[in-house]
Amino acid sequence: MIEALVPFKAATAEHFGDAPDRECLFPQELALMAGVGAGRRREFTTVRVCARLALKDLGVPPAPLLPDEWGAPGWPTGIVGSMTHCRGYRAAVVARRTSVQALGVDAEPHRPLREGVLGAVARPEEQAALADLGGTICWDRLLFSAKEAAYKAWSPGAREGGARPRSLHDIRVTLRPADGTFRAEVLPGHPEATSLEGRWLATTALLLTAVSVPASP
Ligand SMILES: CC(C)(COP(=O)(O)OP(=O)(O)OC[C@H]1O[C@@H](n2cnc3c(N)ncnc32)[C@H](O)[C@@H]1OP(=O)(O)O)[C@@H](O)C(=O)NCCC(=O)NCCS
């Protein structure tokens, strides 16, 4: 599914269950999982299995994918990427930096946000826009997901220049229900430097969002 949301030059892999725990993690990755719960270990492992499959499609050999101080994964030299996991879904997207400058993907269960979350992450104008949307899609959760995808695309090193969001509140998302796209702007900042385009997809169980920034010509 995720491949529908990213440029064709990106490689993707997704998993709707979990890879067996014996799937190889590098020693540095295993060390990070010491003492963590089984659920976290499974999502961490499976999403890295996805990432290695996607990297293989680009011809990149497996390498440890370790988080930086912000939690953003460190990709092999010359590669950009993003990973996401939620109940029943894990996905990784990677691309060569020569074709894509930054990627951010997010998956969420397709159900409304818990009470109080929307107010914490959405700007007043975003909440007003949601009130006008109808139908069966959980727009509040989709807005949240789009913000997270945009947030990831601004991970350190992924994107030079432009304002970096400190929180989801710093990202203003405009959902476009008609064509499955959205715009994410980081505030404050120069609109031309901080506006990203994204795509979204809804199934009965999942909401997926992705932001990609093309490489400069
Ligand atoms: C970082 C954040 C976007 C992760 O999103 P999430 O829905 O919790 O988790 P997902 O499963 O979609 O994604 C997790 C993956 O994102 C990646 N990730 C984590 N932090 C990241 C960052 N700062 N930049 C880019 N990617 C990041 C990692 O690969 C992580 O998986 P891993 O730990 O197994 O490697 C989110 O937790 C966050 O902090 N958002 C913004 C800050 C904020 O406002 N927080 C308050 C939210 S109410």
Side-chain angles (χ1 to χ4, degrees):
M1 295 193 299
I2 197 82
E3 71 280 359
L5 301 185
V6 293
F8 77 95
K9 284 190 172 170
T12 65
E14 60 193 354
H15 211 297
F16 294 84
D18 271 313
D21 247 358
R22 65 175 184 279
E23 282 293 345
C24 289
L25 288 181
F26 284 86
Q28 306 94 307
E29 293 171 331
L30 271 175
L32 291 173
M33 290 296 99
V36 310
R40 171 64 179 136
R41 201 172 60 242
R42 281 196 297 269
E43 68 179 19
F44 181 94
T45 303
T46 305
V47 84
R48 278 162 178 75
V49 170
C50 292
R52 303 212 220 291
L53 283 171
L55 286 168
K56 193 175 173 190
D57 272 359
L58 293 183
V60 179
L65 301 172
L66 304 173
D68 68 7
E69 61 187 299
W70 302 92
W75 296 98
T77 306
I79 300 295
V80 297
S82 183
M83 298 191 276
T84 185
H85 29 62
C86 72
R87 194 181 173 86
Y89 187 74
R90 287 84 170 82
V93 175
V94 295
R96 292 199 178 273
R97 221 177 252 276
T98 45
S99 51
V100 179
Q101 188 187 137
L103 287 165
V105 291
D106 188 70
E108 295 286 326
H110 194 167
R111 53 173 185 258
L113 289 172
R114 269 182 292 117
E115 205 174 324
V117 176
L118 185 66
V121 300
R123 306 174 64 82
E125 66 271 27
E126 293 174 319
Q127 295 183 45
L130 289 188
D132 291 337
L133 299 175
T136 54
I137 290 176
C138 296
W139 299 110
D140 58 344
R141 178 77 72 159
L142 185 66
L143 182 87
F144 178 76
S145 179
K147 281 170 176 264
E148 296 227 298
Y151 183 87
K152 291 180 190 178
W154 256 286
S155 66
R159 202 175 141 72
E160 281 90 41
R164 196 171 175 276
R166 287 155 300 172
S167 75
L168 298 184
H169 221 257
D170 283 353
I171 301 174
R172 177 166 61 203
V173 164
T174 307
L175 296 172
R176 301 186 191 108
D179 66 358
T181 66
F182 63 89
R183 165 180 289 184
E185 298 158 274
V186 170
L187 310 165
H190 283 293
E192 63 276 18
T194 57
S195 181
L196 298 186
E197 289 296 313
R199 303 190 69 81
W200 60 268
L201 184 151
T203 70
T204 49
L206 289 169
L207 294 171
L208 300 185
T209 54
V211 161
S212 45
V213 184
S216 323

